[in-house]
C-alpha cells in the first residue's frame, strides 16, 4: 500500500492489522462550543488502533504571537514528539481521518506530515461517517500504541512567508487562493477575526467546493475546477490561505489529489495577516 492523498474506507479496511499502518483520529469541531468534543467522540468509538491528535493542543501552538495566526503551526520538534506518541516512524503508512464533515483537521495533519517530508500519508475519504455507514469495525478501548521514533525538520518549500505574501500583493508573483466562505472573502461578514475582507489580489475557492456527498469529488473533476481558477499559472505559483491555516490544507489536499502538485500554504493566513495593521485589506 502506498497512499499519499486520499484512501477509501474499503481500501483502508483491507489493510487493517498491517504492521506499518498508523491511523490518527483528528475529529474536532472547528467552530464549535466544545473544543474537546472530538476527543470525547474518539474515546467513545474510533477506528481500530487509532490514536488521537487534537487540533488545538497537538496540531497548533497557541504560545506563539498573533502574527502566527489563530492556529499557529507547532514547532517541528513538538510535532515529531506527537508522531512518536502516536507510534509513527518514517516507515509508517499514515492515515488521518475526521468526522466526515470536511476533513479539515485531518488535512492539517496531512500537510504537517508532508512538511516534514513524510510522503506516505493520506486522509480517509468520507471520514468516520462513511466508515461507520459501511458497517466497518470500530472499537472503544484505548489503543495500545508502541511509541515510534521520528526526527525531522520542516521543509521550507511547503510554506510561504509573510514577506513573500507581501511581494505577491505588490507584483502578483503568486496566485493567492482564499479557502473561506465567499461572504467572508468579500468582507460582508467576519465571525472570527477582527477585520473582514481578504488579502489583496486573492481569488476565492471555498474548501466545501471540493466535496460531494460527504467525500471528495473525483480527481478529474477537481483538476478541471482548479485549472479554471489557475488559468496559465502552474501549481508551484499558487499559495493557499484561509482564516487560520487549517482549511487551506483542504484545498491543497484537493489539488494534490487532482495531480496539481507544488502549491504552498501561508500558515498564518488571514488572522495572521491582519495582526499587523500595516498590511492592506481588500473587500
Amino acid at each position: 500500500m502506498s497512499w499519499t492523498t486520499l484512501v477509501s474506507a474499503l481500501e483502508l479496511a483491507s489493510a487493517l492489522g498491517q504492521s506499518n499502518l498508523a491511523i490518527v483520529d483528528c475529529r474536532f469541531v472547528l467552530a464549535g462550543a466544545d473544543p474537546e468534543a472530538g476527543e470525547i467522540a474518539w474515546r467513545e468509538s474510533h477506528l481500530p488502533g487509532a490514536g488521537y491528535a487534537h487540533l488545538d493542543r497537538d496540531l497548533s501552538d497557541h504560545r506563539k504571537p498573533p502574527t502566527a495566526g489563530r492556529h499557529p503551526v507547532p514547532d517541528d520538534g513538538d510535532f515529531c514528539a506527537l508522531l512518536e506518541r502516536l507510534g509513527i516512524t518514517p516507515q509508517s503508512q499514515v492515515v488521518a481521518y475526521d468526522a466526515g464533515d470536511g476533513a479539515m483537521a485531518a488535512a492539517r495533519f496531512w500537510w504537517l506530515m508532508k512538511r516534514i517530508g513524510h510522503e506516505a500519508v493520506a486522509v480517509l475519504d468520507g471520514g468516520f461517517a462513511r466508515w461507520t455507514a459501511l458497517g466497518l469495525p470500530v472499537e472503544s478501548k484505548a489503543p495500545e500504541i508502541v511509541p515510534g521514533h521520528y526526527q525531522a525538520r520542516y521543509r521550507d518549500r511547503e510554506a510561504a512567508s509573510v514577506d513573500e505574501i507581501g511581494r505577491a500583493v505588490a507584483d502578483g508573483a503568486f496566485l493567492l487562493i482564499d479557502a473561506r466562505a465567499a461572504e467572508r472573502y468579500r468582507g460582508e461578514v467576519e465571525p472570527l477575526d477582527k477585520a473582514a475582507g481578504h488579502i489583496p489580489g486573492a481569488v476565492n475557492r471555498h474548501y466545501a467546493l471540493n466535496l460531494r456527498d460527504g467525500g471528495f469529488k473525483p480527481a478529474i473533476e477537481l483538476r478541471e475546477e482548479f485549472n479554471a481558477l489557475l488559468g496559465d499559472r502552474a501549481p508551484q505559483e499558487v499559495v493557499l490561505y484561509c482564516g487560520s491555516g487549517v482549511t487551506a490544507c483542504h484545498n491543497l489536499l484537493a489539488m494534490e489529489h487532482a495531480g496539481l502538485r507544488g502549491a504552498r500554504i501561508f500558515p498564518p493566513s488571514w488572522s495572521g495577516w491582519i495582526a499587523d495593521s500595516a498590511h492592506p485589506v481588500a473587500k
Side-chain angles (χ1 to χ4, degrees):
M1 58 182 175
S2 179
W3 304 315
T4 59
T5 54
L6 297 174
V7 58
S8 73
L10 293 178
E11 287 176 313
L12 179 57
S14 69
L16 290 178
Q18 295 196 23
S19 59
N20 68 328
L21 178 63
I23 303 176
V24 182
D25 188 317
C26 299
R27 281 178 284 178
F28 187 88
V29 183
L30 192 59
D34 185 1
E36 307 309 318
E39 185 170 13
I40 291 171
W42 167 74
R43 294 187 184 282
E44 292 174 349
S45 180
H46 51 263
L47 269 64
Y52 184 76
H54 193 285
L55 177 62
D56 275 338
R57 294 196 306 268
D58 298 322
L59 308 182
S60 306
D61 183 353
H62 292 288
R63 299 168 298 180
K64 294 184 177 180
T67 51
R70 278 188 286 107
H71 286 102
V73 171
D75 291 337
D76 42 21
D78 292 336
F79 183 63
C80 287
L82 167 69
L83 299 183
E84 293 181 343
R85 176 171 65 78
L86 292 169
I88 295 171
T89 73
Q91 290 72 46
S92 296
Q93 170 65 67
V94 183
V95 176
Y97 69 89
D98 257 304
D101 52 359
M104 293 177 289
R108 165 74 161 222
F109 183 90
W110 170 85
W111 174 68
L112 289 174
M113 292 222 67
K114 293 287 188 180
R115 197 176 174 194
I116 62 168
H118 194 107
E119 293 299 324
V121 57
V123 170
L124 175 61
D125 196 14
F128 191 74
R130 181 165 294 174
W131 182 272
T132 53
L134 292 172
L136 296 172
V138 295
E139 59 186 25
S140 56
K141 64 179 182 179
E144 296 180 3
I145 295 176
V146 177
H149 180 72
Y150 217 115
Q151 289 185 332
R153 302 293 299 272
Y154 287 143
R155 300 186 296 190
D156 291 340
R157 67 175 181 269
E158 307 292 338
S161 69
V162 68
D163 289 339
E164 289 179 289
I165 301 303
R167 290 197 295 273
V169 169
D171 61 17
F174 301 104
L175 174 64
L176 299 172
I177 301 180
D178 187 322
R180 296 173 300 159
E183 61 270 21
R184 290 183 68 193
Y185 163 81
R186 292 192 297 264
E188 296 166 2
V189 299
E190 182 45 65
L192 298 172
D193 294 310
K194 67 180 184 179
H198 59 266
I199 299 175
V203 298
N204 181 227
R205 179 178 172 86
H206 190 208
Y207 76 92
L209 294 175
N210 302 324
L211 303 169
R212 180 185 297 127
D213 300 328
F216 279 76
K217 294 176 180 176
I220 189 170
E221 189 172 343
L222 289 170
R223 186 178 183 89
E224 291 173 353
E225 292 177 1
F226 274 99
N227 275 334
L229 197 63
L230 269 57
D232 59 359
R233 297 273 195 173
Q236 295 80 6
E237 299 174 86
V238 174
V239 174
L240 307 166
Y241 79 92
C242 55
S244 68
V246 175
T247 58
C249 301
H250 198 281
N251 272 348
L252 182 66
L253 176 59
M255 288 184 68
E256 297 229 350
H257 179 58
L260 301 170
R261 302 195 63 179
R264 294 185 293 161
I265 300 290
F266 174 46
S269 284
W270 177 247
S271 54
W273 177 258
I274 60 172
D276 185 339
S277 59
H279 287 155
V281 169
K283 291 187 178 181

